[in-house]
Amino acid sequence: MTTTAGRLLALLGLLQSRAEWSGPELATRLDVTDRTVRNDVARLRELGYPVDAVRGPGGRYRLGVGGKLPPLVLDDEEAVAIAVGLRAATAVVGIEESSARALGKLEQVLPDRLRRQVAALRDATEAGPVNTDSNVEDPAVDPALLTELAAAIRDHQGLRFWYREEPREVEPVRLVAWQRRWYLVGRDVGSGGWEPYRVDWLELRRPGGRRFTPVEPPFDLTEFVVREVARTGWAVHTRIVVHAPAHEVLERINPAVGTVEPRDEATCVLVTGGDSIETVAVWIGMLGLDFTVTGPPALLDHLGVLSRRYAGAVGGAGAGAEPVSGASGAPAR
């Protein structure tokens, strides 16, 4: 196997070194028979490298499209993983341009089959704002599932799947990565409504749905996912009255924290949530603004604990100290 692998790499190197080679020339350079050259060319083609046969005396070979760069042999999952990583890195300040260039180079060197998969995933995905909780375990998502969803988006192919034990038929339009989660945005075939679906919660059904003519969503996809997840996708949800105008709250929060609904010139409602009560308490405590919380009960209880804990930390106040109020003096409940 080592000899065969080494010979295949040598053959690729020769094919890259000039435009065309005859079969006998390759056999001489590799010190093998013409038959071995033909078999090795067939092996390269099975691996996805385009080796074209050119008519001429003794048979001639040349590399086709996708074979001009040094060989990079990846299986499907590895190619998808690299593409996902580079796609996410394009949103990181300072390396966005180099990440985009690296992704482009990866697509050039990959065999055509994998290049199409990676390109489909690139074109089908968007990245939401970053705001993660390191204490929450990341959900497992099958790279093959991401690849299949991206291909369905590219080909305008409807999907049928189970979602929280309910059957759904959806016209998929985009994959959005946000909060270390993957969401499929699509239009429900029955109701015509748009929804984000957590990818780790869906199970594809066979056969899939029908091909469709894509409809442009009437909203920004990333903002839609953030808003809808605030409503349905978090383990903990809350609506907090913030005693400040909406524009001031929007200037202070990361969009990943939630959405802001204006009420009047002096107050607004922050719709937020998280995977734990502790996470939500941290987020609203970092606002630096007065706020009022009315629920859920578990969040109220936790804020009460924090209130007594912080009161006890100020000036040596004992356990009987009056609870502190909201983030900066307003009642917390």
Side-chain angles (χ1 to χ4, degrees):
M1 290 299 293
T2 302
T3 301
T4 301
R7 195 174 63 245
L8 290 178
L9 289 175
L11 176 57
L12 274 173
L14 290 173
L15 292 171
Q16 292 166 22
S17 66
R18 75 186 201 197
E20 293 182 3
W21 290 84
S22 70
E25 287 175 330
L26 290 172
T28 299
R29 294 293 295 269
L30 296 172
D31 194 21
V32 296
T33 64
D34 289 354
R35 180 178 179 181
T36 299
V37 170
R38 291 194 296 272
N39 291 338
D40 285 348
V41 167
R43 290 189 180 99
L44 289 177
R45 289 169 175 164
E46 289 174 358
L47 291 172
Y49 289 94
V51 182
D52 297 334
V54 183
R55 291 182 179 180
R60 306 184 72 81
Y61 302 96
R62 67 184 177 195
L63 281 181
V65 176
K68 297 299 183 183
L69 296 179
L72 179 62
V73 181
L74 298 172
D75 63 28
D76 292 28
E77 291 190 1
E78 291 169 340
V80 171
I82 293 175
V84 169
L86 289 174
R87 179 66 181 83
T90 59
V92 178
V93 176
I95 64 170
E96 58 269 47
E97 291 186 7
S98 57
S99 299
R101 290 197 305 271
L103 182 56
K105 291 179 179 179
L106 172 66
E107 293 175 2
Q108 292 181 38
V109 74
L110 287 174
D112 182 67
R113 176 178 58 83
L114 288 182
R115 184 167 61 249
R116 282 176 52 81
Q117 292 184 6
V118 170
L121 186 60
R122 177 203 63 200
D123 296 339
T125 59
E126 294 185 10
V130 177
N131 187 29
T132 61
D133 178 3
S134 59
N135 294 321
V136 178
E137 183 178 354
D138 294 342
V141 176
D142 185 357
L145 176 58
L146 289 176
T147 301
E148 189 166 356
L149 296 179
I153 293 169
R154 178 195 63 201
D155 300 335
H156 310 314
Q157 180 66 52
L159 294 170
R160 297 170 65 246
F161 51 81
W162 292 101
Y163 191 72
R164 290 183 167 180
E165 300 183 353
E166 293 185 4
R168 299 291 184 94
E169 185 170 353
V170 171
E171 298 175 352
V173 295
R174 192 60 55 93
L175 285 166
V176 176
W178 178 62
Q179 289 286 66
R180 302 190 302 189
R181 306 283 191 271
W182 283 95
Y183 297 91
L184 173 72
V185 180
R187 191 173 72 149
D188 186 271
V189 172
S191 67
W194 297 91
E195 289 188 51
Y197 303 91
R198 265 184 61 165
V199 172
D200 57 306
W201 287 353
L202 65 83
E203 179 182 353
L204 291 181
R205 302 168 62 193
R206 312 292 182 190
R210 297 169 294 180
R211 290 181 62 85
F212 63 93
T213 300
V215 176
E216 189 68 22
F219 45 73
D220 179 271
L221 289 167
T222 302
E223 291 181 359
F224 172 72
V225 168
V226 172
R227 183 176 66 251
E228 291 301 301
V229 168
R231 183 176 63 84
T232 63
W234 278 316
V236 179
H237 303 87
T238 187
R239 295 172 60 87
I240 299 165
V241 176
V242 183
H243 301 277
H247 69 84
E248 185 175 349
V249 177
L250 286 170
E251 291 174 355
R252 290 172 178 255
I253 70 169
N254 184 316
V257 171
T259 58
V260 177
E261 300 175 357
R263 282 199 358 172
D264 52 45
E265 294 183 357
T267 63
C268 62
V269 174
L270 173 61
V271 183
T272 187
D275 289 325
S276 68
I277 291 294
E278 292 77 11
T279 298
V280 177
V282 169
W283 285 355
I284 61 179
M286 292 174 64
L287 276 176
L289 297 168
D290 295 344
F291 59 86
T292 300
V293 180
T294 58
L299 177 59
L300 294 175
D301 292 342
H302 184 65
L303 289 174
V305 171
L306 293 179
S307 177
R308 292 188 293 273
R309 183 175 298 154
Y310 290 146
V314 178
E322 289 294 323
V324 298
S325 52
S328 56
R333 52 189 304 172

